[in-house]
Amino acid sequence: MALGKDYAAQECSIARALEVVGERWTLLVVRDAFYGVRRYNDFLVHLGIPRAVLAARLQTLTAEGILEKRRYQDSPPRDEYVLTDRGIALWPVLRALGLWGREHFTEKQLRIYRHAPCGTELGSYGECPACGTVVPPSDVEVEPGPGLDPSPADPVSRAILKPRRLLQPIEIEPV
C-alpha cells in the first residue's frame, strides 16, 4: 500500500505541519535557506538532491508561503528563494531537531550559534544566557564548530563555513 501525502484522518496540528515540511528533503532546504543559500544551483550543489525533487520542494515551499521566489536576473530569467516570516518561524523547530540529532546520533558540534550583539553561545532553547532573551534568527551568528570539515569540496559548503548571521545570502567565491 502506497503512503499517502496527507494525514486527513488525523486531528492534529503536527500532522498538518508534516504535510508541508515532513518530506525527506524539505527541512534541509529550509536549513540551507537559513544559512543563506538562495539559488537553485546552490541548493543542488550543497544538498546533492535530485533536480526534480528540489524543484518540487521549492515549488511546495513557495506555494505554502515558507519561501518567496524573487527574480534576481532577467536575461536569462533567474530566481532566488528567500525565507518568509512563515519560514523564519521554523527556526525553533530546526534548532531543536539539530540539538536532538547531536545528542542522540553524534557528539560532534558541527556549528556554533551565537547571539551576534554580545557573542554569547545560544542556550538549548535559542535563548541568550547573558541577555536573558530569546534570540531571533536575524541576530544569530553561525560559525563552524570543531566537528565540521574545515576544507569541504563544494563552494557552497565553503561559503557556509564563514562566520556570519543567519538569513544573510552566501557569497560563492570564484574557483
Side-chain angles (χ1 to χ4, degrees):
M1 183 167 136
L3 183 63
K5 290 194 178 256
D6 64 33
Y7 302 97
Q10 297 287 319
E11 290 292 327
C12 174
S13 58
I14 293 172
R16 296 294 159 261
L18 286 173
E19 288 176 358
V20 177
V21 298
E23 293 181 312
R24 178 177 174 184
W25 291 99
T26 302
L27 286 178
L28 296 177
V29 170
V30 173
R31 175 207 63 191
D32 277 10
F34 273 102
Y35 291 158
V37 177
R38 292 183 170 190
R39 297 181 177 177
Y40 179 89
N41 282 337
D42 293 340
F43 284 111
L44 199 63
V45 166
H46 190 244
L47 294 172
I49 184 173
R51 286 180 181 275
V53 173
L54 177 58
R57 296 305 175 271
L58 291 171
Q59 184 177 14
T60 298
L61 289 167
T62 302
E64 291 294 337
I66 293 168
L67 293 175
E68 178 184 339
K69 189 175 180 179
R70 293 184 187 162
R71 179 73 30 109
Y72 70 88
Q73 178 179 307
D74 287 322
S75 183
R78 301 225 190 271
D79 298 311
E80 62 182 9
Y81 298 87
V82 180
L83 285 165
T84 63
D85 289 342
R86 192 174 192 184
I88 291 169
L90 285 167
W91 171 243
V93 174
L94 290 173
R95 172 98 177 123
L97 193 58
L99 290 172
W100 182 83
R102 188 172 102 202
E103 180 180 333
H104 295 283
F105 299 106
T106 180
E107 294 181 14
K108 297 177 185 179
Q109 185 173 19
L110 300 177
R111 290 185 170 75
I112 298 168
Y113 301 95
R114 297 186 185 283
H115 186 202
C118 73
T120 303
E121 189 171 347
L122 297 185
S124 296
Y125 298 100
E127 79 283 3
C128 175
C131 300
T133 60
V134 175
V135 179
S138 59
D139 284 345
V140 174
E141 185 168 275
V142 61
E143 62 187 58
L148 200 60
D149 178 2
S151 306
D154 73 89
V156 177
S157 293
R158 286 193 300 274
I160 291 173
L161 272 180
K162 296 174 185 157
R164 38 190 265 295
R165 286 192 188 204
L166 292 179
L167 304 172
Q168 296 301 307
I170 59 170
E171 294 182 24
I172 305 292
E173 292 182 11
V175 181

